[in-house]
Amino acid sequence: TGPMSSECLGNLLRITLSTEYFKDKYLSLSVVDQSGMAWKLDETMASQCGYTVTYSNWSSIEFRASALSCYSHLKKDAFTVSIKIKASHSPDMKNAVTHLKSASCSYGPWSPRELVCEHNYMEVSVRKEVPQAVKDVIQDKSEDRTPAFPEEKAGEASIWKIVFHQPEEKKALLVSDAWSAGYGFNTTDTRVLLRVPYTAMQIQLVEAQGTTFSAVRSSTFYQEQWIILMVDTSVACPVDGVDYANKTIIWTVPKYVQPLSAGATSFKDVLVEAGVDLHKLSAKEMASRNYVLLNDRSVITMKIPIGAEGGYYKTSVSGGRYGAKYSINLFLEHQWEDNKWGLTKCTIIKEIETPFEKVELAITNNSNLTARIMNVTVGTFLPDVELVNLTIEGATVTVSEAVQHGYLTYEIRYANGSKDYGIKVPFDAPSIKKEYKRADVRAYTLNVTLAFLIHPTSETFSVPVITVSTVKDAVLPSARGSCDGRNLHLIITRGNVDQNWLPFISDWHLTPEDAQKHNYSLKDNGTHLAISVPFLSSRVNYEVVHTSGIKASLHLTLKDGMTLVNRRDFSISCRISPLELIQCLPNGTVVITAVKLVGIADLDTSLFVLRDRQCKPSLVTEKTATFKFNVNTCGTSRKFNSAIMTYENDVLYFRPGNDTPVYQLKFACSYAVKQTVDVRYESKKIPPPSIKPGFGSLALSMKLFKEKSYSDLYQELEYPVVKYLREALYFEVELLQPEDARLELNLDDCWATNSQRQDSLPRWPIIINGCENSEDSYRTIFHKVNYNPRVKLPQHIKRFEVRMFAFVRGTTLLQE
């Protein structure tokens, strides 16, 4: 119990560190020798000295030591190993807590030759064989040789050198050189040991029965008193031999390998046992786990179902994909006799890890609609996985920091150690996307990426989590409308789904700037949207004209601000008095406005006429045409009834080539024939009308066209334009800003110069005080501007035609 526990496993000692105690701590592990000095353990030292550190079963830390490891204390048939562990919460090991653990194991009797195939090293120990004649000589001779090595003590045997038998040559190394090359050595009164890391230079790969072995053929020379003796310290361990078929692990180990059987001619199996985690299993235990152990004439085979008891799954990542591998730590003990060594004992420890297998994670939406809490679980994960980060709207935060964003994470643990991770977040959290779907339904979308850490490898992987919950909580905007005779009004009460919806009239996005430009009213206080549109507006539709009034309609659409999909339509229809369209002035002037009706396709308001088709509108917009004329003109008829004189006319629209009008608006003005009006007046000199000068910013453009239709414009690359004398030039001047329909553009003066400087001389006037130059041989011609798809405000444009001329002095052409 406590932070560490120990276990004796034959010629190996295992110390296991408590996962719970050392969790989230940095560790430093050292081995303590007999004098109490601690030697820090690293990979090189471990493979050279007979130590192994592994992580098993979801991050449990396991330390194993060979009975003949470097700092084992040997006494008779027992060995003792001591370790020191420092644990700290910081990588610099500050404020580390030190733990000491010492454990002893009994082992014996030893076989003449013992082999250990560990994860990180190969080990062979052989019994010393001193001939009897030599023993007698040793007893009679006194010590007369100086020890070859400092560590050599009088009366004890020591290794002198090692010879490696390689295919091309024999290579001899003194002990000090072999130690520097990573080899490990040990001697006792009865045994000589050689330890070889799998990375050693003298290793040869040998194949037997289709299995590759890592092998070293060597002879070790050691001193016994003043006599040098030699033993065979060859060693070989399998490095593969694992196959997978039908969800089964098949581990095949050949019995006899050439480096180990050289010189022997007869072999006999003594013992074949196997197990898991260095625990031997009986035949009954193997059968209960569906293990199979086969001992054939030349090979030993173990078959383990993937996922069977004794192994465990651990998390793995491949190409960013989450998955798992099944891991099992098998071991095999094979004892045999031959006519060279007698009994050989071989212990093979084999950690087998199956190939990566992708695992599908389940994302379950357990949201509580009543409590308005999104609750999502992701899993199932193995115990070696830890949730460390969340990425919310592009920002990565730790699990603890996520709480500040409204995200609460939790674990759901199961009896087998596996677990799910859960996330709870309110529906109204800022990072939850809310989207109107239909009727009264809103969709709430959780979009978060979870980042996980795998212990102890520190690999990472991420899982995107996107879940949608639909709730019947949508409140749609509503509207009420009204009319005041001159304007149509809509007041929209906002709901909880239209914060990003935009107002459109037809396909025209109504912005505050556009509303002000067109004399509309647009007010939005967050809860209400108020829109007012003048009755005579190009965005108003006119449906029916009666003597009782005109049906005018305004259609407004709220569109999604992201997709521009229509979300909600509103409309208001009002009956406007006909008096809004007509003015009968006392001086006999009639002002009548005709409106374009819905249902008459392709109607051009600039082509409206009165009975006299020469009478055309004086002001045209996209949907209206206004006429101003005297009752005695334009084909107006009159009727006399008692004391009333009534003047009648029609606004007509004809299709080209057709004398039957497709549009007819009848109107009349009535005047009293005899009427006495008392007028009080006084004599007063009335000043002539004047326009008060003012200052402002106007944006103007002047363009040159190729012909009278003003449809083909000279482009920038076509300048300078070359013309013959008296050839016509067609100019257009346009007021670009402001776009106010109440403004009208008038040209006062226009002149031509011989250079690009407008103040240069000579110059010739083309327009004087808004009229053509009477002194010009070919006077300027003004062209009428009518409404069309390009010309929305005809009153903002003036067009005139000038004949090409040149500046001369006498008979000489003047040039710039």
Coordinates of all heavy atoms in Angstrom, one line a residue, residues 194-248:
L194 N 26.4 -10.7 -18.9 CA 26.5 -9.7 -20.0 C 25.1 -9.2 -20.3 O 24.2 -9.9 -20.5 CB 27.1 -10.3 -21.2 CG 27.1 -9.4 -22.5 CD1 28.0 -8.2 -22.3 CD2 27.6 -10.2 -23.7
R195 N 25.0 -7.8 -20.4 CA 23.8 -7.2 -20.7 C 24.0 -6.3 -21.9 O 24.9 -5.5 -22.0 CB 23.3 -6.3 -19.5 CG 21.9 -5.8 -19.7 CD 21.4 -5.1 -18.4 NE 21.3 -6.0 -17.3 CZ 22.1 -6.0 -16.2 NH1 23.1 -5.1 -16.2 NH2 22.0 -6.8 -15.3
V196 N 23.1 -6.5 -22.9 CA 23.2 -5.8 -24.2 C 22.0 -5.0 -24.5 O 20.9 -5.5 -24.6 CB 23.4 -6.9 -25.3 CG1 23.7 -6.2 -26.7 CG2 24.6 -7.8 -25.0
P197 N 22.1 -3.7 -24.7 CA 21.0 -2.9 -25.2 C 20.7 -3.2 -26.7 O 21.6 -3.6 -27.4 CB 21.4 -1.4 -25.0 CG 22.9 -1.5 -25.0 CD 23.3 -2.8 -24.5
Y198 N 19.4 -3.0 -27.1 CA 19.0 -3.3 -28.4 C 19.7 -2.4 -29.5 O 19.6 -2.6 -30.6 CB 17.5 -3.3 -28.6 CG 16.8 -4.5 -27.9 CD1 16.2 -4.3 -26.7 CD2 16.9 -5.7 -28.5 CE1 15.5 -5.4 -26.1 CE2 16.2 -6.8 -27.9 CZ 15.6 -6.6 -26.7 OH 15.0 -7.7 -26.1
T199 N 20.3 -1.3 -29.0 CA 20.9 -0.4 -29.9 C 22.4 -0.6 -30.0 O 23.1 0.2 -30.6 CB 20.7 1.1 -29.4 OG1 21.2 1.2 -28.0 CG2 19.2 1.4 -29.4
A200 N 23.0 -1.7 -29.4 CA 24.4 -1.9 -29.5 C 24.9 -2.1 -30.9 O 24.2 -2.7 -31.7 CB 24.7 -3.1 -28.6
M201 N 26.2 -1.7 -31.1 CA 26.8 -1.8 -32.5 C 27.0 -3.2 -32.9 O 26.9 -3.5 -34.1 CB 28.1 -1.1 -32.5 CG 28.0 0.4 -32.3 SD 27.3 1.2 -33.8 CE 28.6 0.8 -35.0
Q202 N 27.3 -4.2 -32.0 CA 27.6 -5.5 -32.4 C 26.4 -6.4 -32.6 O 26.6 -7.6 -32.8 CB 28.6 -6.1 -31.4 CG 30.0 -5.6 -31.5 CD 30.2 -4.2 -31.1 OE1 29.5 -3.7 -30.2 NE2 31.1 -3.4 -31.7
I203 N 25.2 -5.9 -32.5 CA 24.0 -6.7 -32.7 C 23.9 -7.2 -34.1 O 24.1 -6.4 -35.1 CB 22.8 -6.0 -32.2 CG1 22.7 -6.0 -30.7 CG2 21.5 -6.5 -32.9 CD1 21.5 -5.4 -30.1
Q204 N 23.5 -8.5 -34.3 CA 23.2 -9.0 -35.6 C 21.7 -9.4 -35.6 O 21.2 -9.9 -34.6 CB 24.1 -10.2 -35.9 CG 25.6 -10.0 -35.8 CD 26.4 -11.3 -35.9 OE1 26.1 -12.2 -36.7 NE2 27.4 -11.4 -35.0
L205 N 21.1 -9.3 -36.8 CA 19.7 -9.7 -36.9 C 19.8 -11.1 -37.6 O 20.3 -11.3 -38.7 CB 18.9 -8.8 -37.8 CG 18.7 -7.4 -37.2 CD1 17.9 -6.5 -38.2 CD2 18.1 -7.4 -35.9
V206 N 19.2 -12.1 -36.9 CA 19.2 -13.5 -37.3 C 17.7 -13.9 -37.5 O 16.9 -13.6 -36.6 CB 19.9 -14.4 -36.2 CG1 19.9 -15.8 -36.7 CG2 21.3 -13.9 -36.0
E207 N 17.4 -14.7 -38.5 CA 16.1 -15.1 -38.8 C 16.0 -16.6 -38.5 O 16.9 -17.4 -38.9 CB 15.7 -14.9 -40.2 CG 14.2 -15.2 -40.5 CD 13.7 -14.7 -41.8 OE1 14.1 -13.6 -42.2 OE2 13.0 -15.5 -42.5
A208 N 14.9 -17.0 -37.8 CA 14.7 -18.4 -37.5 C 13.2 -18.7 -37.6 O 12.4 -18.0 -36.9 CB 15.2 -18.8 -36.1
Q209 N 12.8 -19.6 -38.4 CA 11.4 -20.0 -38.6 C 10.5 -18.7 -38.9 O 9.4 -18.6 -38.5 CB 10.8 -20.6 -37.3 CG 11.6 -21.8 -36.8 CD 11.4 -23.0 -37.6 OE1 10.3 -23.2 -38.2 NE2 12.4 -23.9 -37.6
G210 N 11.1 -17.8 -39.7 CA 10.3 -16.6 -40.1 C 10.3 -15.5 -39.1 O 9.7 -14.5 -39.3
T211 N 10.9 -15.7 -38.0 CA 11.0 -14.7 -36.9 C 12.4 -14.1 -36.8 O 13.4 -14.8 -36.8 CB 10.6 -15.3 -35.5 OG1 9.2 -15.8 -35.6 CG2 10.7 -14.3 -34.4
T212 N 12.5 -12.8 -36.7 CA 13.8 -12.1 -36.6 C 14.2 -12.0 -35.1 O 13.4 -11.6 -34.3 CB 13.7 -10.7 -37.2 OG1 13.2 -10.8 -38.6 CG2 15.0 -10.0 -37.2
F213 N 15.5 -12.3 -34.9 CA 16.0 -12.2 -33.5 C 17.1 -11.2 -33.6 O 17.9 -11.0 -34.5 CB 16.6 -13.6 -33.1 CG 15.6 -14.6 -32.6 CD1 14.8 -15.2 -33.5 CD2 15.5 -14.8 -31.3 CE1 13.8 -16.1 -33.1 CE2 14.5 -15.7 -30.8 CZ 13.7 -16.4 -31.7
S214 N 17.2 -10.5 -32.5 CA 18.4 -9.6 -32.2 C 19.4 -10.4 -31.4 O 19.1 -10.9 -30.3 CB 17.9 -8.3 -31.4 OG 19.0 -7.5 -31.2
A215 N 20.6 -10.6 -32.0 CA 21.5 -11.6 -31.4 C 22.9 -11.0 -31.3 O 23.3 -10.1 -32.1 CB 21.6 -12.8 -32.3
V216 N 23.6 -11.4 -30.3 CA 25.1 -11.1 -30.1 C 25.8 -12.4 -29.7 O 25.4 -13.1 -28.8 CB 25.3 -10.0 -29.0 CG1 26.8 -9.9 -28.6 CG2 24.7 -8.7 -29.4
R217 N 26.8 -12.7 -30.6 CA 27.6 -13.9 -30.3 C 28.9 -13.4 -29.6 O 29.6 -12.6 -30.2 CB 27.9 -14.7 -31.5 CG 26.7 -15.3 -32.2 CD 27.1 -16.2 -33.4 NE 28.1 -17.2 -33.0 CZ 29.0 -17.7 -33.8 NH1 29.1 -17.3 -35.1 NH2 29.9 -18.6 -33.4
S218 N 29.2 -13.8 -28.4 CA 30.3 -13.3 -27.7 C 30.9 -14.3 -26.7 O 30.2 -15.2 -26.3 CB 29.9 -12.0 -26.9 OG 28.9 -12.4 -25.9
S219 N 32.2 -14.1 -26.4 CA 32.9 -14.9 -25.4 C 33.4 -13.9 -24.4 O 34.0 -12.8 -24.8 CB 34.0 -15.6 -26.0 OG 33.6 -16.6 -27.0
T220 N 33.2 -14.2 -23.1 CA 33.7 -13.3 -22.1 C 34.8 -13.9 -21.3 O 34.7 -15.1 -20.9 CB 32.5 -13.0 -21.1 OG1 31.5 -12.3 -21.9 CG2 32.9 -12.0 -20.0
F221 N 35.9 -13.2 -21.1 CA 37.1 -13.7 -20.4 C 37.1 -13.0 -19.0 O 36.9 -11.8 -18.9 CB 38.4 -13.3 -21.2 CG 38.5 -14.0 -22.5 CD1 37.9 -13.5 -23.6 CD2 39.3 -15.1 -22.6 CE1 38.0 -14.2 -24.8 CE2 39.5 -15.8 -23.8 CZ 38.8 -15.3 -24.9
Y222 N 37.3 -13.9 -18.0 CA 37.3 -13.4 -16.6 C 38.4 -14.0 -15.9 O 38.9 -15.1 -16.3 CB 35.9 -13.6 -15.9 CG 35.6 -15.1 -15.7 CD1 35.9 -15.7 -14.5 CD2 35.1 -15.9 -16.7 CE1 35.6 -17.0 -14.2 CE2 34.8 -17.2 -16.5 CZ 35.1 -17.8 -15.2 OH 34.8 -19.1 -15.0
Q223 N 38.8 -13.3 -14.8 CA 40.0 -13.8 -14.1 C 39.5 -14.5 -12.8 O 38.6 -14.0 -12.1 CB 40.8 -12.6 -13.7 CG 42.0 -13.0 -12.7 CD 42.5 -11.8 -12.0 OE1 42.2 -10.7 -12.3 NE2 43.3 -12.1 -11.0
E224 N 40.0 -15.7 -12.6 CA 39.8 -16.4 -11.3 C 41.1 -16.5 -10.6 O 42.0 -17.3 -11.1 CB 39.2 -17.8 -11.6 CG 38.6 -18.5 -10.3 CD 37.4 -17.8 -9.8 OE1 36.5 -17.3 -10.7 OE2 37.2 -17.8 -8.6
Q225 N 41.4 -15.7 -9.6 CA 42.7 -15.5 -9.0 C 43.7 -15.1 -10.1 O 43.4 -14.1 -10.8 CB 43.1 -16.8 -8.3 CG 42.3 -17.2 -7.1 CD 42.5 -16.3 -5.9 OE1 43.4 -15.5 -5.9 NE2 41.6 -16.4 -5.0
W226 N 44.7 -15.9 -10.4 CA 45.7 -15.4 -11.5 C 45.4 -16.2 -12.8 O 46.2 -16.1 -13.7 CB 47.1 -15.7 -11.0 CG 47.3 -17.1 -10.4 CD1 47.1 -17.5 -9.2 CD2 47.7 -18.2 -11.2 NE1 47.4 -18.9 -9.1 CE2 47.8 -19.3 -10.3 CE3 48.1 -18.4 -12.6 CZ2 48.2 -20.6 -10.7 CZ3 48.4 -19.7 -12.9 CH2 48.5 -20.8 -12.1
I227 N 44.3 -16.9 -12.9 CA 44.0 -17.6 -14.1 C 42.9 -16.9 -14.9 O 41.9 -16.5 -14.3 CB 43.6 -19.1 -13.8 CG1 44.8 -19.8 -13.1 CG2 43.2 -19.8 -15.0 CD1 44.5 -21.2 -12.7
I228 N 43.0 -16.8 -16.2 CA 42.0 -16.3 -17.1 C 41.2 -17.4 -17.6 O 41.7 -18.3 -18.3 CB 42.6 -15.4 -18.2 CG1 43.5 -14.3 -17.7 CG2 41.5 -14.9 -19.1 CD1 42.7 -13.3 -16.9
L229 N 39.8 -17.3 -17.5 CA 38.9 -18.3 -18.0 C 38.0 -17.6 -19.0 O 37.8 -16.4 -19.0 CB 38.1 -18.9 -16.8 CG 39.0 -19.7 -15.8 CD1 38.1 -20.1 -14.6 CD2 39.7 -20.9 -16.4
M230 N 37.3 -18.5 -19.8 CA 36.4 -17.9 -20.9 C 35.1 -18.7 -20.8 O 35.0 -19.9 -20.5 CB 37.0 -18.2 -22.2 CG 36.1 -17.6 -23.4 SD 36.7 -18.2 -25.0 CE 36.0 -19.9 -24.9
V231 N 34.0 -17.9 -21.0 CA 32.6 -18.5 -21.1 C 31.9 -17.9 -22.3 O 32.2 -16.8 -22.7 CB 31.8 -18.2 -19.8 CG1 32.3 -19.0 -18.6 CG2 31.7 -16.7 -19.5
D232 N 31.0 -18.7 -22.8 CA 30.2 -18.3 -24.0 C 29.0 -17.4 -23.4 O 28.2 -17.9 -22.7 CB 29.7 -19.5 -24.7 CG 28.9 -19.1 -26.0 OD1 28.6 -17.9 -26.2 OD2 28.5 -20.1 -26.7
T233 N 29.0 -16.2 -23.8 CA 27.9 -15.3 -23.4 C 27.1 -14.8 -24.5 O 26.7 -13.6 -24.6 CB 28.5 -14.0 -22.6 OG1 29.6 -13.5 -23.4 CG2 29.1 -14.4 -21.3
S234 N 26.8 -15.7 -25.5 CA 25.9 -15.3 -26.6 C 24.5 -15.2 -26.1 O 24.1 -15.9 -25.1 CB 26.0 -16.4 -27.7 OG 27.3 -16.5 -28.2
V235 N 23.7 -14.3 -26.7 CA 22.4 -14.0 -26.3 C 21.6 -13.7 -27.6 O 22.1 -13.1 -28.5 CB 22.3 -12.9 -25.3 CG1 22.8 -11.6 -25.8 CG2 20.9 -12.7 -24.8
A236 N 20.3 -14.0 -27.6 CA 19.4 -13.7 -28.7 C 18.0 -13.6 -28.2 O 17.5 -14.4 -27.4 CB 19.5 -14.8 -29.8
C237 N 17.3 -12.5 -28.7 CA 15.9 -12.3 -28.3 C 15.0 -12.0 -29.5 O 15.5 -11.2 -30.5 CB 15.8 -11.1 -27.3 SG 16.5 -11.5 -25.7
P238 N 13.8 -12.4 -29.6 CA 12.9 -12.2 -30.7 C 12.5 -10.7 -30.7 O 12.2 -10.1 -29.7 CB 11.7 -13.1 -30.5 CG 11.7 -13.3 -29.1 CD 13.1 -13.3 -28.6
V239 N 12.5 -10.1 -31.9 CA 12.0 -8.7 -32.0 C 10.7 -8.6 -32.8 O 10.2 -7.5 -32.9 CB 13.1 -7.8 -32.7 CG1 14.3 -7.7 -31.8 CG2 13.5 -8.3 -34.0
D240 N 10.3 -9.6 -33.5 CA 9.0 -9.6 -34.1 C 8.3 -11.0 -33.9 O 8.4 -11.5 -32.8 CB 9.1 -9.2 -35.6 CG 10.0 -10.2 -36.4 OD1 10.3 -11.3 -35.9 OD2 10.4 -9.8 -37.5
G241 N 7.7 -11.5 -34.9 CA 7.0 -12.8 -34.7 C 5.5 -12.6 -34.3 O 4.9 -13.5 -33.9
V242 N 5.0 -11.4 -34.4 CA 3.6 -11.1 -34.1 C 2.8 -10.9 -35.3 O 3.1 -10.1 -36.2 CB 3.5 -9.9 -33.1 CG1 2.0 -9.6 -32.8 CG2 4.3 -10.1 -31.9
D243 N 1.7 -11.6 -35.4 CA 0.7 -11.4 -36.5 C -0.7 -11.2 -36.0 O -0.9 -11.5 -34.8 CB 0.7 -12.6 -37.5 CG 2.0 -12.7 -38.3 OD1 2.5 -11.7 -38.8 OD2 2.6 -13.8 -38.3
Y244 N -1.6 -10.7 -36.8 CA -3.0 -10.5 -36.4 C -3.9 -11.1 -37.5 O -3.8 -10.9 -38.7 CB -3.3 -9.0 -36.3 CG -2.3 -8.2 -35.5 CD1 -1.2 -7.6 -36.0 CD2 -2.5 -8.2 -34.1 CE1 -0.3 -6.9 -35.2 CE2 -1.5 -7.5 -33.3 CZ -0.4 -6.9 -33.9 OH 0.5 -6.2 -33.1
A245 N -4.9 -11.9 -37.0 CA -5.8 -12.5 -37.9 C -7.1 -12.8 -37.1 O -7.1 -13.3 -36.0 CB -5.3 -13.8 -38.5
N246 N -8.2 -12.4 -37.8 CA -9.6 -12.7 -37.2 C -9.7 -12.2 -35.7 O -10.1 -12.9 -34.8 CB -9.9 -14.2 -37.2 CG -9.9 -14.8 -38.6 OD1 -10.4 -14.1 -39.5 ND2 -9.3 -16.0 -38.8
K247 N -9.2 -10.9 -35.6 CA -9.2 -10.3 -34.3 C -8.5 -11.1 -33.2 O -8.9 -11.1 -32.0 CB -10.7 -10.0 -33.8 CG -11.4 -9.0 -34.7 CD -12.7 -8.6 -34.2 CE -13.4 -7.5 -35.0 NZ -12.6 -6.3 -35.2
T248 N -7.4 -11.7 -33.6 CA -6.6 -12.5 -32.7 C -5.1 -12.1 -32.9 O -4.6 -11.9 -34.0 CB -6.8 -14.0 -33.0 OG1 -8.2 -14.3 -32.8 CG2 -6.0 -14.8 -32.0

